[in-house]
Amino acid sequence: LRKPRFLSRELTAAEKGIATHLFLQFADYHACCSLTSAHLELERLVSDAFLSREEADAVQIGSIVSFFCAPIGKWLLEQKDVRREFKFSVLLDASVFDSAAAGEQTMLQGVVDCALLEADGITIIDFKNYILKHLVLVIINFIINFIGV
């Protein structure tokens, strides 16, 4: 059934960002290297109920294709151990944050958009979707030895 017109509204900026993150969580990244295949992948996610039609319409597929055609996107496609929406918890000595808190423990937990497990540490990729209509990538190379894990 079609949603009544009076219930239709434009997605907020936050909802558009969530839609893009959902696409990046469930999409086959190898299908994101051309507009044609990326649109087909977007339609697959709608038909498999990962995204609603409204969410799919909000995904800036051109920006995603541009990302995967860029050197960093090609590099990501070559990686073997890629984790998406990776939940983590790490118990740290609080002195990492404040030397006066030495001996205390602090729990650091969260979810990262994309994590690549490598021999020398973890590379964390945080996707950002800004109003400029470009998918921006923030990469943090988190060396396990830094936190003593």
Side-chain angles (χ1 to χ4, degrees):
L1 294 172
R2 191 170 57 86
K3 187 188 304 186
R5 195 175 289 160
F6 70 87
L7 289 178
S8 297
R9 64 171 178 79
E10 186 172 327
L11 296 179
T12 65
E15 290 168 327
K16 290 176 182 179
I18 290 168
T20 300
H21 274 77
L22 284 171
F23 177 86
L24 290 165
Q25 180 180 356
F26 296 111
D28 173 1
Y29 287 169
H30 290 91
C32 297
C33 298
S34 76
L35 280 173
T36 301
S37 61
H39 277 292
L40 289 171
E41 184 63 4
L42 186 62
E43 291 306 315
R44 181 189 69 80
L45 294 178
V46 171
S47 69
D48 289 351
F50 289 103
L51 292 170
S52 68
R53 170 53 47 205
E54 292 81 11
E55 290 169 325
D57 291 344
V59 173
Q60 297 165 1
I61 207 73
S63 295
I64 291 170
V65 171
S66 294
F67 168 77
F68 281 102
C69 290
I72 189 68
K74 291 177 182 176
W75 173 79
L76 177 57
L77 291 173
E78 294 172 355
Q79 301 310 302
K80 303 230 181 304
D81 200 353
V82 178
R83 309 284 174 95
R84 302 182 201 190
E85 294 301 311
F86 184 72
K87 295 172 182 64
F88 67 91
S89 296
V90 179
L91 195 57
L92 302 171
D93 188 290
S95 64
V96 170
F97 304 105
D98 182 356
S99 60
E104 298 292 326
Q105 293 193 321
T106 300
M107 174 69 74
L108 179 64
Q109 62 184 8
V111 179
V112 297
D113 296 338
C114 186
L116 294 90
L117 307 181
E118 302 175 290
D120 63 344
I122 302 169
T123 298
I124 297 170
I125 300 177
D126 186 29
F127 297 109
K128 298 294 180 193
N129 194 21
Y130 292 112
I131 198 161
L132 299 175
K133 297 187 178 182
H134 293 286
L135 185 66
V136 177
L137 176 73
V138 178
I139 299 180
I140 304 164
N141 196 331
F142 190 70
I143 305 299
I144 292 174
N145 291 335
F146 172 75
I147 60 169
V149 175

